[in-house]
Amino acid sequence: MSDKTRISLKEAGDLIHAAVAATGLPDAIAGSVARALVAAEAEGQVGHGFSRLGDYVAQVRSGKIKASAQITISERGPASILVDADCGFAFPALDAAIDALVPRAQASGIAVAAIANSHHCGALSVQVERLANAGLIGIMVANTPKAMAPWGASAALFGTNPIAFAAPQADGPPLVIDLSLSRVARGKVMAASKAGISIPEGWALDEDGQPTTDPKAALAGTMVPIGGAKGTALALMVEVLAASFTGSAFSHQAASFLAPEGLPPQTGQTLIAIKPDPEGDFLARMSELLETIVAQPGARLPGTRRRAALAQSVAEGMDVPNHLVDLARRLADGA
């Protein structure tokens, strides 16, 4: 018997929507959360998909995710806005930010949205691709609860603090790059912990700073940064843009995205949208650049596996672990 269930994107979206709505949240919020989780699962970012649902529902029930959150948008300048997520889900705040950002960037050439008092924002690739599909270059950063130590230290201070980028091209889908500043996204460790499987050595350190293959020990310890000192320097840059700039909690202050207990994390995200020169040949030059890369023997564009996974999910559905589908069904029934 298979340990996974094949499920279509629509079925997955309806199931997650029902599970979130069963907590009493409005359909609009449940729909926003469902779209984000299904999009992440479909492109292979399983640490940001179904595996998050149980934690989300538990945090709504405990009040850590504010059910009555009211998103507000304030102007910081002609092309700069602040979106306050009010300690609710990140996804409706991101929807509001992108809806406001696109026309501003198209009118001004560039626009920035700072999102404050937010929560786990899932796969950043999903958000920047929306900007690229609107004809814009998209950049996004987010800070997360502490998981990495500053270079040379041993105590966690920075989050895995992901960065994402997307740009449209003339011939083909947008280029999408999404990377965590740890060697792997912490969501993969969390997913391994829930599934009861080990992780490869080199992903994380335990509380004593020793390499570990135990995901529970890894979650209690620290993640290994990409590129050594360069990775933690990038994490600091993201901390400035996602926390200082937005007025949100620093990673070392933020509560867990996973546990239902405690205060809201109040982390931040920043999105930048840039309009390519409409009179120039940006789109054609993008295609030329990408074609030159793939013409190299053995070369692979960032996002290739993501794009293939998404195409397969659309055509054939997704294989989701049985225990996660069963949990979603129980939650949808109000369990």
Side-chain angles (χ1 to χ4, degrees), residues 34-118:
R35 286 190 297 274
L37 267 61
V38 171
E41 189 81 34
E43 64 180 43
Q45 297 215 46
V46 297
H48 298 308
F50 266 83
S51 65
R52 292 281 176 172
L53 181 59
D55 295 326
Y56 284 174
V57 169
Q59 290 177 68
V60 172
R61 290 173 175 172
S62 72
K64 191 174 186 177
I65 295 177
K66 187 176 176 182
S68 60
Q70 299 295 313
I71 296 167
T72 57
I73 299 178
S74 55
E75 303 285 343
R76 281 183 152 184
S80 179
I81 58 172
L82 175 66
V83 180
D84 191 334
D86 193 26
C87 297
F89 278 106
F91 305 116
L94 286 164
D95 291 342
I98 290 174
D99 286 346
L101 200 57
V102 169
R104 284 169 170 79
Q106 290 173 336
S108 301
I110 187 169
V112 60
I115 301 174
N117 298 315
S118 192

Side-chain angles (χ1 to χ4, degrees), residues 261-335:
E261 302 82 16
L263 297 172
Q266 295 183 273
T267 49
Q269 298 96 34
T270 292
L271 295 97
I272 301 169
I274 304 168
K275 183 180 181 181
D277 181 3
E279 306 301 325
D281 57 355
F282 174 83
L283 296 180
R285 286 176 58 79
M286 271 294 299
S287 293
E288 178 187 357
L289 173 61
L290 301 186
E291 288 166 3
T292 302
I293 293 170
V294 297
Q296 291 274 5
R300 181 175 61 86
L301 285 176
T304 300
R305 291 177 184 168
R306 169 186 175 269
R307 184 71 56 188
L310 181 57
Q312 182 174 354
S313 295
V314 170
E316 303 175 11
M318 306 178 296
D319 291 325
V320 180
N322 291 338
H323 71 280
L324 295 178
V325 176
D326 292 342
L327 173 61
R329 288 171 175 159
R330 292 197 303 274
L331 293 174
D333 289 337

